[in-house]
Amino acid sequence: MVPISTLIFSICVLGIGWFITNMLKNKQIALEKKLGEIHAQEVQNRFDIYRNIADSEIKRLNQKILLDSHMYANFQMDFQSFQRFKNGCGNETKANLPPNTIQAVKYAMRHAHPDNGGNAEDFIKFQKCYEELMMGARLKNEVEL
């Protein structure tokens, strides 16, 4: 038979062991919870960074679209001038033309070029028109001097 003192001692050792084990488990749970919170915060921070990058990229693309639409509108405004150029420039000078006309003629030359799938006759007309515009601008500058 086991003495009572040994039995009480064994119960105390088991109780202390159980208490220490539970205390360690509680600390481990608290540590895992804290690590989970830190990980969640890191994920949120990365998400915010990616969202900011995406927002700035969207803003940049919207600005590019806006600029492209303004340029397209300017080219549309100059389209009436294109019609005159296509049929022959006449006596136009740089001073008599809308501001983006020369740029628009260059644009039309690029797109009318046969290497870009355009019509060779249209390209030649635009090229002659461009040369006449440049010649008219040079003559006007020489007269002013």
Side-chain angles (χ1 to χ4, degrees), residues 3 6 11 17 23 27-29 34 37-38 41 57 106 112-113 118 122 130 132 135 139 141-142:
T6 306
I11 291 173
M23 203 167 72
K27 284 192 176 203
Q28 183 180 4
I29 290 170
K34 186 66 176 171
E37 291 170 359
I38 292 170
Q41 187 62 42
E57 185 65 15
K106 288 181 182 180
H113 196 281
D122 289 342
Y130 178 77
E132 288 179 25
M135 183 62 73
L139 289 175
N141 287 338
E142 288 175 6

Side-chain angles (χ1 to χ4, degrees), residues 1 12 14 25 32 44-45 52 58-59 66 71 93 99 101 103 106 136 139 142:
M1 179 123 155
C12 287
L14 287 175
K25 281 185 182 180
E32 287 174 357
Q44 181 65 41
N45 290 342
N52 290 339
I58 288 170
K59 185 185 244 183
L66 185 63
M71 184 171 270
T93 64
T101 302
Q103 184 181 7
K106 288 181 182 180
L139 289 175
E142 288 175 6

Side-chain angles (χ1 to χ4, degrees), residues 48-64:
D48 291 342
I49 289 169
Y50 293 141
R51 186 180 58 213
N52 290 339
I53 291 170
D55 289 346
S56 65
E57 185 65 15
I58 288 170
K59 185 185 244 183
R60 186 187 68 77
L61 290 173
N62 283 337
Q63 289 172 345
K64 184 179 183 319

Side-chain angles (χ1 to χ4, degrees), residues 12-84:
C12 287
V13 169
L14 287 175
I16 292 172
W18 177 81
F19 177 75
I20 291 173
T21 304
N22 280 340
M23 203 167 72
L24 290 175
K25 281 185 182 180
N26 288 340
K27 284 192 176 203
Q28 183 180 4
I29 290 170
L31 181 63
E32 287 174 357
K33 182 179 176 186
K34 186 66 176 171
L35 288 174
E37 291 170 359
I38 292 170
H39 179 70
Q41 187 62 42
E42 287 175 358
V43 169
Q44 181 65 41
N45 290 342
R46 281 194 301 258
F47 175 77
D48 291 342
I49 289 169
Y50 293 141
R51 186 180 58 213
N52 290 339
I53 291 170
D55 289 346
S56 65
E57 185 65 15
I58 288 170
K59 185 185 244 183
R60 186 187 68 77
L61 290 173
N62 283 337
Q63 289 172 345
K64 184 179 183 319
I65 289 169
L66 185 63
L67 289 174
D68 288 349
S69 67
H70 286 307
M71 184 171 270
Y72 178 72
N74 288 338
F75 288 140
Q76 274 188 328
M77 287 172 40
D78 290 337
F79 185 72
Q80 294 169 349
S81 299
F82 287 163
Q83 294 303 320
R84 281 193 314 227

